[in-house]
Every structure is written in structure tokens, then in C-alpha cells.
Amino acid sequence: MAKITMTVNGRQVSGTCDDRTLLVHFIRENLGLTGTHVGCDTSQCGACVIHMDGLSVKSCSILAVQAAGSSITTIEGLAKDGELHPVQAAFKAHHGLQCGFCTPGMVMTAVDMIARHGSGLDEATVRSELEGNICRCTGYHNIVKAILAAAAEMGGARQAAE
């Protein structure tokens, strides 16, 4: 068993887990933050995307002990003072979700995408970067539209989806 400490959503947390515990399970089971979903356990679906030290990562592909000392942001850490993050608000406004299972991973991926690409973000880039996130309900059109709208609001996107 390993004792690990990390910062999650701005708060220092500690816990004990088996050395082989995946970060996604540590977040959900030890910390009770269930917004990060387990979809495939093979790092193909993107439902488990979180930010680790400022980069989006699939938390099913990292051991919790590897994240010790890191700064983690989960979907629960995006909204501030009861206000949705601009990406969350855009997903709501542009109907970028249906069942909602993939939404946390999509939103976390989108936040990272906007941060990295800024004004270079366009529809082709969004579609390309979403290849690691699977949504079984939509055709991705409204997801792309929501990401571009959020990027525009945050000072980023060049071209909105029609």
C-alpha cells in the first residue's frame, strides 16, 4: 500500500491505495469525486480525462502513485463560485451532450484544447483532437459547436460550426 498526497481541485488531499490503483479509481473511490467516469479502462474512450499539472490526461492510463505530488483538476473543479466554466456553459447552451456520460471527459479535453490552441482553434482542429473521446449518442456536431463557441467567448476560435 502506498500513501500519496496530491492537490485536487485546489485542495491538498492524501490517501492510501494499492500500488496498482489507477488514478481514475483513486479519484472516484478514495476522493468521492465521481464526475470522472470509467468508460473503457483501455484509454480509448476519453470519459476519464482530467488535467494533471495543466495537461489533459486519461486517468485510466496512470497509476495513482504516479500522480503523487501533482496538481489535478477534475470536472468538479472547473466551476467557480457556482458559475459554470465557459466550456461547461457552452455545452449546455449548444446542446453538446445527450446522455452525459462522455461529457466530463469532452469538457476537460476542450478546456485543454482551447488553452493550447487559443486563436488557432478551428473546426478541423477540434474534430481532430476529439478523436480520443468517444460519444455514442451524438454525431459530435453540437460538441464541436460548443467547443468553438466557448473558445470564441474565451478569446480563441476562428470558425464556428454551422
Side-chain angles (χ1 to χ4, degrees):
M1 297 292 275
K3 179 171 172 60
I4 58 174
T5 300
M6 62 185 72
T7 302
V8 177
N9 299 331
R11 200 173 62 94
Q12 188 169 350
V13 296
S14 296
T16 304
C17 64
D18 191 69
D19 292 340
R20 63 186 176 179
T21 300
L22 294 173
L23 181 57
V24 67
H25 294 298
F26 182 81
I27 290 168
R28 290 179 59 82
E29 296 163 16
N30 291 53
L31 304 180
L33 299 172
T34 58
T36 302
H37 293 158
V38 179
C40 65
D41 273 337
T42 59
S43 76
Q44 294 181 23
C45 76
C48 67
V49 172
I50 51 102
H51 294 173
M52 185 168 102
D53 297 326
L55 300 173
S56 77
V57 297
K58 293 179 179 178
S59 60
C60 76
S61 66
I62 296 173
L63 297 172
V65 295
Q66 292 175 292
S70 293
S71 177
I72 304 292
T73 303
T74 69
I75 191 73
E76 292 92 344
L78 287 185
K80 299 291 182 213
D81 301 321
E83 292 290 320
L84 293 177
H85 183 279
V87 174
Q88 291 172 308
F91 267 68
K92 180 179 176 185
H94 295 278
H95 310 287
L97 58 104
Q98 284 188 14
C99 82
F101 190 82
C102 71
T103 304
M106 291 283 189
V107 168
M108 297 304 288
T109 298
V111 170
D112 176 66
M113 192 186 312
I114 293 166
R116 285 184 295 106
H117 290 284
S119 63
L121 191 59
D122 60 18
E123 184 173 348
T125 303
V126 171
R127 288 187 181 279
S128 175
E129 294 220 5
L130 285 179
E131 286 184 6
N133 293 72
I134 296 173
C135 176
R136 290 176 175 91
C137 299
T138 72
Y140 295 88
H141 182 74
N142 287 347
I143 292 169
V144 172
K145 189 174 169 183
I147 293 168
L148 291 172
E153 181 180 329
M154 297 167 69
R158 288 190 301 201
Q159 172 186 340
E162 296 294 322

